[in-house]
């Protein structure tokens, strides 16, 4: 009998690119546009599909809170009929998807990165759902909101109560009949509470310490005033509190129905039940709140009023003719702080947690993170050669979380990438 030879196993092929961009949302695509113009070989690795988060991670009535004229990416801008309006969820998806198509972005979809390490020979090795890759330089464009946060005491909720994170919320009709408790008043929490309220649902809202901003003041959108004042261009190191700004909660406001304020006091007049911060759940199904409601409402109003003060000062200094309008007067105050809610007696059928996200960079091993898992960087440039971040809130300025400033951040990183590539060739 002839001896049967064992088959030879070839190692999997590792594909190489000069630059790999992890993530194909608007930030990764903006970097890709600049790299394409410079003729730099690169590939975007996307876990799902291009811009999927805009379609899959937002509720049905979601709208941007920034006006359409601010939707500007490198070589691409909103050109629709309503520049002062606010794109809805599906419009934003089509806008970003259209951007990728406009320059033929080199995206490999369904190629989530499982692990990335610094390679002994230089550059970075990546293990992905689509196989192995190596790159001289890598841009991480996965955003800063990775894992929905839900407090551990949520495990004490009665089994009959449906609970979901704001990232999973889609519509009032998708929730079981009954009252809804919304926890948190950042942008998502406040807008979801409004969405439920407008649909006629009974809403109980645990109010946090998020600030608010008026939608319009003295004849213009407040975003337009702040844009002209240069507020979105101030580097984080020049902001009061410095890099601590990165932990700040966004101001709540809405672009729904052409844009308006979100006034929680008005909601209370209309029947929404407001509480302070949710601090625990008892085994008997009682929710416990602290007595911070009035303080939180006053603080949010003070921030909105402070922004108006800054706008007034700018108008006066610039000699702008703008209509004068009266300041906001609180339309409701709590007669007493309610610190307990019997969920069963109140008919609570669902809880929507809107208490934020945490980062998850466990797949990335490069020694560039602080003790809380946030990347350490200067304008997206890390101390690990050839490793960059883009698309993070307050990456460089307040505007870094908006379309227009993402363009600036992406251009800055593209320049650093091109310079590093040239230096490597020269060496």
């Amino acid at each position: 009998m002839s001896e049967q030879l064992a088959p030879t196993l070839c190692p999997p092929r590792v594909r190489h690119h000069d630059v790999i961009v992890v993530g194909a949302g608007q930030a990764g695509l903006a970097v890709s546009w600049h790299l394409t113009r410079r003729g730099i070989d690169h590939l975007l690795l996307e876990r799902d599909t291009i811009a999927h988060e805009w379609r899959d991670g937002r509720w049905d009535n979601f709208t941007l809170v920034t006006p359409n004229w601010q939707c500007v990416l490198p070589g691409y801008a909103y050109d629709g009929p309503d520049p002062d309006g606010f794109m809805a969820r599906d419009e934003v998806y089509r806008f970003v998807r259209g951007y990728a198509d406009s320059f033929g972005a080199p995206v490999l979809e369904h190629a989530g990165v499982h692990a990335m390490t610094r390679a002994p020979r230089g550059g970075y090795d990546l293990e992905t759902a689509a196989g192995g890759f190596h790159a001289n330089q890598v841009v991480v464009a996965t955003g800063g909101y990775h894992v929905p946060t839900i407090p551990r005491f949520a495990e004490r909720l009665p089994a009959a109560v449906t609970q979901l994170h704001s990232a999973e919320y889609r519509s009032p009709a998708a929730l079981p009949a009954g009252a809804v408790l919304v926890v948190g008043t950042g942008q998502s929490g406040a807008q979801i509470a409004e969405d439920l309220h407008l649909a006629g649902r009974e809403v109980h809202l645990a109010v946090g310490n998020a600030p608010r901003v008026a939608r319009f003041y003295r004849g213009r959108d407040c975003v337009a005033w702040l844009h002209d004042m240069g507020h979105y261009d101030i580097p984080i190191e020049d902001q009061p509190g410095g890099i601590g700004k990165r932990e700040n909660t966004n101001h709540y406001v809405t672009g729904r129905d052409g844009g308006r304020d979100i006034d929680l006091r008005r909601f209370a007049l209309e029947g929404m039940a407001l509480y302070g911060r949710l601090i625990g759940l008892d085994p008997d199904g009682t929710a416990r709140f602290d007595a911070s409601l009035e303080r939180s409402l006053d603080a949010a109003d003070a921030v909105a009023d402070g922004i108006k003060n800054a706008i007034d000062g700018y108008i006066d200094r610039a000699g702008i003719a703008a209509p004068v309008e009266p300041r906001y007067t609180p339309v409701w105050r709590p007669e007493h702080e309610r610190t307990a809610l019997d969920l069963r007696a109140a008919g609570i059928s669902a809880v929507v947690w809107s208490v934020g996200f945490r980062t998850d960079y466990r797949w990335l091993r490069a020694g560039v993170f602080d003790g809380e898992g946030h990347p350490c960087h200067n304008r997206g440039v890390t101390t690990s050669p050839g490793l960059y971040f883009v698309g993070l809130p307050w990456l460089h300025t307040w505007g870094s979380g908006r379309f227009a400033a993402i363009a600036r951040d992406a251009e800055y990183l593209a320049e650093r990438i091109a310079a590093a590539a040239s230096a490597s060739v020269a060496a």
Side-chain angles (χ1 to χ4, degrees):
M1 295 179 60
S2 61
E3 183 178 353
Q4 185 172 355
L5 298 177
T8 302
L9 298 178
C10 296
R13 185 171 68 91
V14 174
R15 286 165 280 184
H16 174 85
H17 290 276
D18 290 341
V19 180
I20 283 179
V21 180
V22 183
Q26 63 270 16
L29 291 169
V31 172
S32 176
W33 186 89
H34 282 289
L35 297 180
T36 299
R37 288 198 71 193
R38 288 168 168 79
I40 295 176
D41 167 60
H42 70 286
L43 177 70
L44 293 91
L45 298 176
E46 168 55 48
R47 181 189 61 192
D48 294 292
T49 57
I50 296 171
H52 78 97
E53 193 62 32
W54 286 110
R55 182 186 57 191
D56 302 334
R58 304 294 193 278
W59 58 94
D60 294 353
N61 288 320
F62 171 90
T63 66
L64 291 177
V65 298
T66 51
N68 294 335
W69 58 262
Q70 268 207 335
C71 293
V72 179
L73 291 167
Y76 197 77
Y78 174 84
D79 62 355
D82 190 13
D84 294 318
F86 305 88
M87 279 194 278
R89 178 192 64 185
D90 293 345
E91 292 175 297
V92 183
Y93 170 74
R94 290 193 294 269
F95 175 78
V96 179
R97 185 80 201 208
Y99 180 51
D101 294 340
S102 72
F103 66 96
V107 180
L108 181 61
E109 296 182 325
H110 306 295
V113 179
H114 305 318
M116 174 177 145
T117 56
R118 292 181 63 172
R121 62 192 182 282
Y124 298 88
D125 291 327
L126 298 93
E127 300 173 15
T128 83
F133 291 84
H134 177 268
N136 300 332
Q137 302 187 74
V138 173
V139 181
V140 179
T142 57
Y145 307 117
H146 302 146
V147 180
T149 299
I150 295 179
R152 287 299 302 266
F153 59 65
E155 298 165 11
R156 299 176 189 161
L157 277 173
V161 175
T162 296
Q163 57 175 314
L164 65 161
H165 192 270
S166 58
E168 302 169 294
Y169 172 78
R170 292 297 173 267
S171 71
L175 298 181
V180 182
L181 171 62
V182 179
V183 182
T185 49
Q187 282 185 1
S188 294
Q191 291 175 53
I192 288 171
E194 181 193 46
D195 193 42
L196 292 161
H197 182 64
L198 293 177
R201 299 296 292 265
E202 180 183 340
V203 180
H204 298 255
L205 178 63
V207 177
N209 60 2
R212 75 180 186 93
V213 61
R215 178 77 275 171
F216 302 102
Y217 181 59
R218 299 193 66 173
R220 297 179 77 198
D221 193 311
C222 282
V223 168
W225 286 120
L226 293 171
H227 174 86
D228 290 352
M229 294 160 63
H231 271 256
Y232 300 123
D233 302 323
I234 301 172
I236 191 167
E237 58 267 22
D238 295 336
Q239 295 278 351
I243 62 172
K245 278 282 188 181
R246 290 177 177 150
E247 303 301 318
N248 284 11
T249 303
N250 287 326
H251 303 66
Y252 58 83
V253 68
T254 184
R256 188 165 174 173
D257 300 325
R260 56 172 171 258
D261 292 9
I262 289 183
D263 186 353
L264 302 184
R265 299 180 192 269
R266 173 67 61 184
F267 291 163
L269 277 182
E270 295 169 351
M272 186 181 294
L274 304 186
Y275 307 81
R277 287 189 316 113
L278 178 64
I279 56 176
L281 290 164
D282 292 347
D284 65 357
T286 299
R288 301 289 177 184
F289 307 87
D290 67 11
S292 62
L293 174 59
E294 186 164 23
R295 183 169 66 251
S296 294
L297 292 173
D298 287 344
D301 288 345
V303 171
D305 217 38
I307 292 172
K308 291 179 178 179
N309 289 340
I311 292 171
D312 285 342
Y314 172 72
I315 290 171
D316 290 344
R317 291 190 302 273
I320 297 171
V324 177
E325 65 179 73
R327 290 298 183 90
Y328 173 80
T329 301
V331 297
W332 176 88
R333 285 193 175 278
E335 294 182 2
H336 64 276
E337 296 266 357
R338 291 179 285 190
T339 57
L341 173 65
D342 185 325
L343 301 180
R344 181 171 299 174
I348 301 292
S349 64
V351 175
V352 180
W353 299 101
S354 186
V355 290
F357 297 77
R358 61 177 175 83
T359 59
D360 183 7
Y361 293 107
R362 288 175 295 176
W363 56 273
L364 173 52
R365 295 185 287 276
V368 295
F369 299 99
D370 64 18
E372 296 184 352
H374 300 296
C376 301
H377 62 87
N378 180 13
R379 294 194 68 174
V381 181
T382 75
T383 56
S384 186
L387 178 60
Y388 314 90
F389 287 82
V390 71
L392 298 177
W394 283 100
L395 183 89
H396 177 50
T397 66
W398 186 9
S400 288
R402 299 162 185 259
F403 281 98
I406 283 175
R408 176 175 56 205
D409 293 341
E411 182 176 16
Y412 179 82
L413 291 186
E415 291 170 351
R416 305 283 83 71
I417 290 168
S422 296
S424 176
V425 170

